[in-house]
Amino acid sequence: MTPETLDAVVFYFFAALALVSAVGVVAQRNPIYSAFSLIVTMCSLSAIFGLFGSPFIAALQVVVYAGAIMVLFLFVLMLLNVKTDEPHEGRGLRAVAVVLAVVLVAQVGSVLAGAGLRLAGSFDAGTRQVARVLFEPRFAYAFEATSVLILAALVGAVLLAKKDL
Amino acid sequence: MSEQLIQHGLLLSLLLFGIGAAGVFLRRNLITVFMSIELMLNAVNLAFIVFSRSLGTLDAQVLVFFVMTVAAAEAAVGLAIIIAIHRGKDTLDMDAFNLMKW
Amino acid sequence: MSPLVQELVIAIVKVLVLIGVLLGVFSGMTYIERRVLAFMQFRLGPNRTGPFGLLQPVADGIKLFFKEEVIPKGANAWVFVAAPAVSILAAFLAIAVVPWGGTLTLPGFLPAWLADRRIDLQLANLDVGVLYLFAVTSLGVYGIVMAGWAANNKYTLIGGLRSSAQMFSYELALGLSFVTLIMGAGSFRIGDIVASQAGGFWRWNIWPWEQGFAFLFYIVAQTAEVNRTPFDLPEAETELVAGFHTEYSSMRFALLQMAEYVNMITASAVGASLFFGGWLSPFPGVLDSGFYGLFGVMWFVLKVAGFLFFFIWLRGTVPRFRYDQLMSFGWKVLVPLATINIMLVAACTLWWNAK
């Protein structure tokens, strides 16, 4: 048992979990089950992020995506009391949709296959290093703009969802 | 960490993106389509992290940070819009919102 | 045995010890809470089962074990069964980054690969320890949301949504109180935050000249996170038909109670590490090291016990918040104050570093 095999075992386990729950998101009738499957996908992606040496992004993925955005989804689903019966599309249209998705995957895959990726030598992506890059002048404008964006989203969401202004 | 893991990580990201795209094409419930879009965003985040590990650069992690933040803002506003239009028509079927169809 | 396998075995033993200790302390807490509450209310608690009532948790366990497990008609069976499991998962995960002692030095009479080995008494010294705690606390919301929704009962749904809204509102204040600690220690690792409090009890983080205001916010936010009085409106027995765990009986109810108590124990352990100096002795040099490094464990256990007593004391003393009071306090008072605290601490840190 070497560290490489342990890495591989952990990666394939979480990759399989992510794929199965992603198919669950798309295939399940009840949207609340889809939401739970998406939460499982996000948590397994967080584990894979940690495996690839990005602990900060892994923790952020759980905090922001699985811990806040999906809670918002679940609240909306539970409060709107979404029913599960969905009239079926024609079988032909569904087959066309799947074919289109496969074509998309094949096209992007053919581009990526010729990429020839290497493995970087030393990689240190701790919080301190990421923060140092984040607060560089070239990202500073985007950082401040993001905070204004969140404020705008906050005000917009409250105004859009209110019953009486 | 071996090189094969990098390639398989990228393959996983590609498959997740394809599954998300299939979900956007296939489903009719608004919130399920929205969740498929979030799945595609997550696949892109995974691709960024894989590239970050492969190239040894931290810029990709900062990009992931911004993608997450913008996705959070988009989810909030999108769900607020869904609540507002559900109040009008009491259904979440995409085909019901065809008022501009002639 | 290769070093990797040795590390794995030691990690598995640590996990088993932690789970055993958490379960044991949970069953002890059910008894101790009832006794201490009773003494505070000028009555005796359970004192019939066994000497001084010490076998009460055993009796409770046997009773719950033999009760009938009911799944309501029309309830979503999968989610109904999974909800307590998710709660327990989030409750147990958080203990992985808490350092419950310094470094244990194993005695020499053990086999060769173990003799005189120094073991870090922390399951995972993560680079992003505090952020991991925050992440696991965010996952704890799902058990409650699932439990409230799955029972097909409008009261449990409202109770579950209320409780989870309370939890993620106070999570924000909790995270903001962690930020000042991280600024003070300069690192996300909990081991580093404990080490920054070395040098006697006047250097612990509860004093105003260290991070005292963060401690106040932490206490309030963590009490709301754990759903304890005075923030336990969503699940109190006299309100809203016992909230999100109304329809649960027998072992699933025991699991939900276990999740709440283990959350409380974890919150106490985290508070003891971050604010009370963790496993460090309050008087430097007194009972500090030696005896294979077990004195650290003793100090840590004492501090966690003190924190747990404080939670029980709060329950016996303070009345409950109404839900709208709770939410407006969390958003309109706690979050702005915590933000101002961060700005002040940042200014002080900059000024101190510039000197």
Side-chain angles (χ1 to χ4, degrees):
Chain A
M1 161 95 78
T2 62
E4 279 79 29
T5 49
L6 194 56
D7 274 353
V9 163
V10 170
F11 173 74
Y12 288 122
F13 171 69
F14 281 113
L17 189 61
L19 279 173
V20 166
S21 42
V23 172
V25 171
V26 167
Q28 286 186 329
R29 293 279 122 215
N30 193 340
I32 295 196
Y33 288 159
S34 295
F36 289 143
S37 302
L38 191 57
I39 294 169
V40 172
T41 311
M42 285 171 176
C43 290
S44 44
L45 277 183
S46 163
I48 296 177
F49 289 169
L51 187 67
F52 275 86
S54 324
F56 178 62
I57 300 292
L60 268 193
Q61 167 92 352
V62 176
V63 171
V64 171
Y65 259 116
I69 296 183
M70 292 317 296
V71 171
L72 188 58
F73 268 98
L74 273 179
F75 262 61
V76 169
L77 280 169
M78 289 178 185
L79 284 174
L80 290 187
N81 203 11
V82 182
K83 290 294 180 293
T84 75
D85 31 294
E86 229 178 74
H88 292 278
E89 305 259 18
R91 296 219 67 143
L93 277 178
R94 279 170 43 197
V96 167
V98 172
V99 163
L100 279 178
V102 167
V103 165
L104 174 69
V105 168
Q107 278 183 326
V108 181
S110 68
V111 169
L112 286 178
L117 290 178
R118 296 281 159 262
L119 189 67
S122 69
F123 184 64
D124 192 10
T127 318
R128 199 179 285 251
Q129 288 76 12
V130 176
R132 229 170 245 147
V133 176
L134 180 61
F135 294 124
E136 271 174 11
R138 53 194 175 120
F139 288 121
Y141 172 67
F143 190 72
E144 302 298 332
T146 310
S147 62
V148 176
L149 172 73
I150 295 179
L151 178 66
L154 184 71
V155 174
V158 168
L159 278 180
L160 281 169
K162 265 174 98 69
K163 264 192 205 159
D164 36 23
L165 287 178
Chain B
M1 246 359 275
S2 64
E3 266 191 30
Q4 206 191 26
L5 273 192
I6 298 272
Q7 285 160 3
H8 288 186
L10 217 47
L11 178 66
L12 172 69
S13 154
L14 182 59
L15 287 176
L16 285 176
F17 191 81
I19 294 174
V24 171
F25 299 149
L26 280 174
R27 298 300 297 250
R28 281 164 61 151
N29 191 333
L30 269 177
I31 299 191
T32 314
V33 168
F34 207 178
M35 285 195 280
S36 306
I37 296 176
E38 293 293 329
L39 185 59
M40 288 200 280
L41 281 172
N42 271 297
V44 167
N45 279 347
L46 177 62
F48 271 134
I49 295 289
V50 168
F51 278 121
S52 163
R53 181 73 176 90
S54 156
L55 299 171
T57 171
L58 287 178
D59 290 357
Q61 311 230 346
V62 172
L63 276 178
V64 169
F65 180 86
F66 286 129
V67 167
M68 269 188 212
T69 319
V70 173
E74 162 221 354
V77 175
L79 285 172
I81 293 179
I82 289 178
I83 293 177
I85 62 181
H86 178 87
R87 205 172 282 145
K89 262 199 181 292
D90 207 24
T91 178
L92 280 177
D93 190 340
M94 278 204 297
D95 289 341
F97 301 102
N98 55 357
L99 284 175
M100 297 218 269
K101 199 161 129 177
W102 52 276
Chain C
M1 279 203 217
S2 69
L4 181 65
V5 176
Q6 286 177 11
E7 292 291 326
L8 276 179
V9 167
I10 292 178
I12 290 176
V13 169
K14 278 196 241 179
V15 165
L16 290 174
V17 164
L18 272 178
I19 292 183
V21 164
L22 276 179
L23 291 179
V25 175
F26 152 68
S27 57
M29 272 299 295
T30 54
Y31 165 74
I32 289 177
E33 171 163 33
R34 289 168 72 172
R35 281 291 247 174
V36 170
L37 268 182
F39 283 158
M40 283 184 188
Q41 294 164 353
F42 207 54
R43 57 183 174 92
L44 302 169
N47 61 352
R48 297 283 171 173
T49 347
F52 296 107
L54 282 169
L55 292 180
Q56 182 70 31
V58 178
D60 278 338
I62 296 177
K63 174 199 83 170
L64 281 173
F65 191 70
F66 281 113
K67 268 195 174 182
E68 179 186 358
E69 294 226 359
V70 179
I71 299 186
K73 177 178 175 191
N76 202 324
W78 281 101
V79 180
F80 192 77
V81 170
V86 171
S87 271
I88 287 279
L89 178 74
F92 272 99
L93 273 179
I95 206 75
V97 281
V98 173
W100 32 288
T103 319
L104 185 71
T105 320
L106 290 177
F109 55 80
L110 290 172
W113 62 280
L114 280 177
D116 297 317
R117 192 182 181 123
R118 301 176 64 83
I119 299 182
D120 247 345
L121 281 179
Q122 185 179 11
L123 192 52
N125 198 3
L126 284 182
D127 201 23
V128 285
V130 174
L131 216 48
Y132 169 86
L133 272 178
F134 200 31
V136 168
T137 320
S138 309
L139 287 182
V141 174
Y142 284 116
I144 297 188
V145 163
M146 287 164 69
W149 176 77
N152 196 26
N153 178 344
K154 50 181 164 307
Y155 298 114
T156 54
L157 181 66
I158 296 181
L161 289 177
R162 272 189 180 183
S163 180
S164 56
Q166 166 194 322
M167 279 180 83
F168 67 66
S169 309
Y170 281 84
E171 243 163 52
L172 191 54
L174 191 68
L176 289 175
S177 77
F178 282 158
V179 171
T180 47
L181 292 174
I182 297 163
M183 276 199 273
S187 155
F188 274 90
R189 289 177 196 258
I190 300 193
D192 286 353
I193 298 181
V194 169
S196 76
Q197 301 174 68
F201 72 93
W202 51 91
R203 295 231 39 227
W204 287 354
N205 275 335
I206 54 170
W207 306 117
W209 57 88
E210 289 285 341
Q211 311 281 354
F213 300 110
F215 178 63
L216 294 174
F217 303 137
Y218 177 82
I219 287 275
V220 174
Q222 202 61 282
T223 316
E225 276 299 307
V226 184
N227 281 334
R228 288 289 286 186
T229 320
F231 299 107
D232 66 347
L233 190 90
E235 62 173 41
E237 306 88 38
T238 54
E239 318 281 344
L240 216 47
V241 207
F244 64 91
H245 52 69
T246 313
E247 299 282 356
Y248 282 92
S249 57
S250 167
M251 286 314 285
R252 302 212 183 93
F253 179 71
L255 270 183
L256 281 176
Q257 290 300 94
M258 188 192 305
E260 178 182 327
Y261 274 105
V262 171
N263 257 330
M264 195 164 89
I265 297 169
T266 305
S268 309
V270 166
S273 299
L274 295 178
F275 290 99
F276 282 90
W279 47 269
L280 294 170
S281 151
F283 312 102
V286 174
L287 290 181
D288 214 346
S289 56
F291 194 55
Y292 303 113
L294 281 179
F295 279 136
V297 181
M298 177 195 79
W299 285 117
F300 183 73
V301 167
L302 282 175
K303 291 170 195 179
V304 172
F307 227 107
L308 284 173
F309 174 73
F310 176 72
F311 275 127
I312 302 176
W313 190 11
L314 263 188
R315 180 175 179 182
T317 320
V318 182
R320 213 166 267 141
F321 269 91
R322 213 174 57 222
Y323 187 68
D324 58 324
Q325 290 172 338
L326 197 157
M327 294 298 276
S328 60
F329 178 71
W331 286 103
K332 295 185 199 166
V333 175
L334 211 54
V335 169
L337 282 181
T339 316
I340 295 175
N341 184 32
I342 292 177
M343 291 196 276
L344 283 177
V345 171
C348 286
T349 312
L350 275 178
W351 173 71
W352 192 260
N353 285 342
K355 272 178 45 168

